[in-house]
Amino acid sequence: MHATPTTFNLMRHGQVDGPAALYGKTDVPLSQQGLRAMQAQVQHLPNADVIISSPRLRCRLFAETLAQTLSAPLIIEDALQECDFGLYDGIAFDDLTDQWLELNDFWRNPMQSTLPEAEPLEAFHRRVHQCWQRLISQHQGKNCLVICHGGVIRQILASVLAGDWQSPNWYTALQIGYASVSRISIAEYQHATPVVNFIAKPPYNELPL
């Protein structure tokens, strides 16, 4: 039996229907603009053999509709949820003026400055890394569409590229835009190393002229 390559298209959800905030566990839905961007993006992707999604509404509802349209199996993967930002999760930045020093400490050193009752960065990275290793093993030879979050995609890219996920630069200098797609491929031969084909390609209707 001839082996086939494995492809993972990592798609971040579109813009959400809510004010600027840290959205992790908060189940905020997509805005109409966010939905249209995701719809535009998938028009230029090969049909997936399997769709894997975070359980959060901003990912799951689109994944369910797409899976039905493509008659593709859908897997809801809890470990692909965004980092839990604790007490500040989903709270508009405009309402967190008294907490701005804590937020600044978090952005400057996320490894050492965990927000109140939030998931530590190390635990988040470990959760996503373990999930990624499992997905590689379970979906060999398939074309997989993974619908998840910017933070999750950064952790997967860190695993593949040996990136410094503990550094704040990994989060500030690596932009993963709404509805963007990052592609990782694995050749068909045994023990092939995953290769990053591209990172954060925006929807075609948002590409610069």
Short mmCIF file of all heavy atoms in Angstrom, two decimals, residues 42-43 45-51 62-73 143 145 147:
data_model
loop_
_atom_site.label_atom_id
_atom_site.label_comp_id
_atom_site.label_asym_id
_atom_site.label_seq_id
_atom_site.Cartn_x
_atom_site.Cartn_y
_atom_site.Cartn_z
N VAL A 42 -11.65 28.94 3.40
CA VAL A 42 -11.78 27.51 3.08
C VAL A 42 -12.04 27.28 1.60
O VAL A 42 -11.82 26.17 1.10
CB VAL A 42 -12.87 26.82 3.94
CG1 VAL A 42 -12.50 26.87 5.40
CG2 VAL A 42 -14.25 27.42 3.69
N GLN A 43 -12.50 28.31 0.89
CA GLN A 43 -12.71 28.15 -0.55
C GLN A 43 -11.40 27.87 -1.29
O GLN A 43 -11.40 27.33 -2.39
CB GLN A 43 -13.36 29.42 -1.13
CG GLN A 43 -14.77 29.69 -0.63
CD GLN A 43 -15.73 28.57 -0.94
OE1 GLN A 43 -15.76 28.05 -2.06
NE2 GLN A 43 -16.51 28.17 0.05
N LEU A 45 -8.79 26.14 0.15
CA LEU A 45 -8.11 25.01 0.77
C LEU A 45 -8.62 23.71 0.16
O LEU A 45 -9.80 23.62 -0.21
CB LEU A 45 -8.37 24.99 2.28
CG LEU A 45 -7.80 26.14 3.11
CD1 LEU A 45 -8.24 25.99 4.57
CD2 LEU A 45 -6.28 26.18 3.01
N PRO A 46 -7.78 22.69 0.05
CA PRO A 46 -8.27 21.39 -0.41
C PRO A 46 -9.27 20.82 0.59
O PRO A 46 -9.16 21.07 1.80
CB PRO A 46 -6.99 20.53 -0.48
CG PRO A 46 -6.03 21.21 0.44
CD PRO A 46 -6.34 22.68 0.39
N ASN A 47 -10.24 20.10 0.10
CA ASN A 47 -11.23 19.50 0.98
C ASN A 47 -10.55 18.58 1.99
O ASN A 47 -9.71 17.75 1.64
CB ASN A 47 -12.27 18.71 0.19
CG ASN A 47 -13.23 19.62 -0.57
OD1 ASN A 47 -13.31 20.82 -0.29
ND2 ASN A 47 -13.94 19.06 -1.52
N ALA A 48 -10.93 18.74 3.23
CA ALA A 48 -10.28 17.99 4.31
C ALA A 48 -10.81 16.57 4.40
O ALA A 48 -12.01 16.32 4.20
CB ALA A 48 -10.50 18.72 5.64
N ASP A 49 -9.92 15.64 4.74
CA ASP A 49 -10.34 14.27 5.06
C ASP A 49 -10.97 14.21 6.44
O ASP A 49 -11.82 13.37 6.72
CB ASP A 49 -9.14 13.32 5.03
CG ASP A 49 -8.49 13.24 3.66
OD1 ASP A 49 -9.24 13.21 2.66
OD2 ASP A 49 -7.25 13.22 3.58
N VAL A 50 -10.52 15.09 7.32
CA VAL A 50 -11.03 15.15 8.68
C VAL A 50 -10.92 16.60 9.16
O VAL A 50 -9.97 17.30 8.81
CB VAL A 50 -10.28 14.18 9.63
CG1 VAL A 50 -8.80 14.51 9.69
CG2 VAL A 50 -10.89 14.18 11.02
N ILE A 51 -11.90 17.04 9.93
CA ILE A 51 -11.90 18.37 10.53
C ILE A 51 -11.79 18.21 12.04
O ILE A 51 -12.54 17.45 12.65
CB ILE A 51 -13.17 19.15 10.14
CG1 ILE A 51 -13.24 19.34 8.63
CG2 ILE A 51 -13.20 20.51 10.86
CD1 ILE A 51 -14.54 19.92 8.14
N PHE A 62 -18.57 26.80 13.17
CA PHE A 62 -18.13 26.80 11.77
C PHE A 62 -17.68 25.40 11.37
O PHE A 62 -17.98 24.94 10.26
CB PHE A 62 -17.00 27.80 11.59
CG PHE A 62 -16.49 27.88 10.17
CD1 PHE A 62 -17.13 28.66 9.23
CD2 PHE A 62 -15.37 27.15 9.78
CE1 PHE A 62 -16.68 28.72 7.92
CE2 PHE A 62 -14.91 27.20 8.47
CZ PHE A 62 -15.57 28.00 7.54
N ALA A 63 -16.95 24.73 12.25
CA ALA A 63 -16.46 23.38 11.94
C ALA A 63 -17.61 22.42 11.70
O ALA A 63 -17.55 21.58 10.80
CB ALA A 63 -15.57 22.88 13.08
N GLU A 64 -18.66 22.52 12.50
CA GLU A 64 -19.82 21.64 12.34
C GLU A 64 -20.49 21.85 10.98
O GLU A 64 -20.83 20.88 10.28
CB GLU A 64 -20.82 21.87 13.47
CG GLU A 64 -20.35 21.37 14.81
CD GLU A 64 -21.28 21.76 15.95
OE1 GLU A 64 -22.14 22.65 15.75
OE2 GLU A 64 -21.13 21.18 17.04
N THR A 65 -20.66 23.11 10.60
CA THR A 65 -21.29 23.41 9.31
C THR A 65 -20.43 22.92 8.15
O THR A 65 -20.93 22.32 7.19
CB THR A 65 -21.53 24.92 9.18
OG1 THR A 65 -22.40 25.35 10.23
CG2 THR A 65 -22.17 25.26 7.85
N LEU A 66 -19.12 23.17 8.24
CA LEU A 66 -18.23 22.75 7.17
C LEU A 66 -18.16 21.23 7.06
O LEU A 66 -18.17 20.68 5.95
CB LEU A 66 -16.83 23.32 7.42
CG LEU A 66 -15.78 23.04 6.33
CD1 LEU A 66 -16.21 23.66 5.00
CD2 LEU A 66 -14.41 23.57 6.75
N ALA A 67 -18.11 20.54 8.18
CA ALA A 67 -18.07 19.08 8.16
C ALA A 67 -19.31 18.51 7.50
O ALA A 67 -19.24 17.54 6.74
CB ALA A 67 -17.91 18.55 9.59
N GLN A 68 -20.45 19.12 7.79
CA GLN A 68 -21.68 18.66 7.16
C GLN A 68 -21.67 18.91 5.66
O GLN A 68 -22.06 18.05 4.87
CB GLN A 68 -22.88 19.36 7.80
CG GLN A 68 -24.23 18.84 7.33
CD GLN A 68 -25.38 19.46 8.10
OE1 GLN A 68 -25.23 20.48 8.75
NE2 GLN A 68 -26.55 18.84 8.03
N THR A 69 -21.17 20.08 5.26
CA THR A 69 -21.10 20.42 3.84
C THR A 69 -20.18 19.47 3.08
O THR A 69 -20.49 19.05 1.96
CB THR A 69 -20.59 21.87 3.67
OG1 THR A 69 -21.50 22.76 4.32
CG2 THR A 69 -20.48 22.24 2.20
N LEU A 70 -19.05 19.13 3.69
CA LEU A 70 -18.05 18.28 3.02
C LEU A 70 -18.28 16.79 3.27
O LEU A 70 -17.55 15.97 2.71
CB LEU A 70 -16.64 18.66 3.51
CG LEU A 70 -16.16 20.07 3.24
CD1 LEU A 70 -14.76 20.29 3.82
CD2 LEU A 70 -16.15 20.37 1.74
N SER A 71 -19.25 16.48 4.12
CA SER A 71 -19.46 15.08 4.55
C SER A 71 -18.16 14.50 5.10
O SER A 71 -17.78 13.35 4.82
CB SER A 71 -19.97 14.21 3.38
OG SER A 71 -21.22 14.68 2.94
N ALA A 72 -17.46 15.33 5.89
CA ALA A 72 -16.19 14.93 6.49
C ALA A 72 -16.39 14.66 7.98
O ALA A 72 -17.22 15.31 8.62
CB ALA A 72 -15.15 16.02 6.31
N PRO A 73 -15.66 13.71 8.54
CA PRO A 73 -15.76 13.48 9.98
C PRO A 73 -15.26 14.68 10.77
O PRO A 73 -14.33 15.38 10.35
CB PRO A 73 -14.86 12.25 10.21
CG PRO A 73 -13.96 12.20 9.03
CD PRO A 73 -14.71 12.80 7.88
N ASN A 143 -5.36 14.62 5.01
CA ASN A 143 -5.38 16.07 4.89
C ASN A 143 -6.31 16.60 5.98
O ASN A 143 -7.53 16.40 5.90
CB ASN A 143 -5.87 16.48 3.50
CG ASN A 143 -5.99 17.97 3.37
OD1 ASN A 143 -5.24 18.73 3.98
ND2 ASN A 143 -6.97 18.42 2.59
N LEU A 145 -7.87 19.57 8.56
CA LEU A 145 -8.13 20.97 8.84
C LEU A 145 -8.36 21.11 10.34
O LEU A 145 -9.28 20.50 10.89
CB LEU A 145 -9.35 21.47 8.07
CG LEU A 145 -9.79 22.91 8.38
CD1 LEU A 145 -8.69 23.90 8.05
CD2 LEU A 145 -11.08 23.26 7.63
N ILE A 147 -9.24 23.70 13.26
CA ILE A 147 -9.81 25.02 13.51
C ILE A 147 -9.65 25.32 14.99
O ILE A 147 -10.24 24.66 15.84
CB ILE A 147 -11.28 25.07 13.08
CG1 ILE A 147 -11.41 24.71 11.60
CG2 ILE A 147 -11.88 26.45 13.36
CD1 ILE A 147 -12.84 24.62 11.10
#
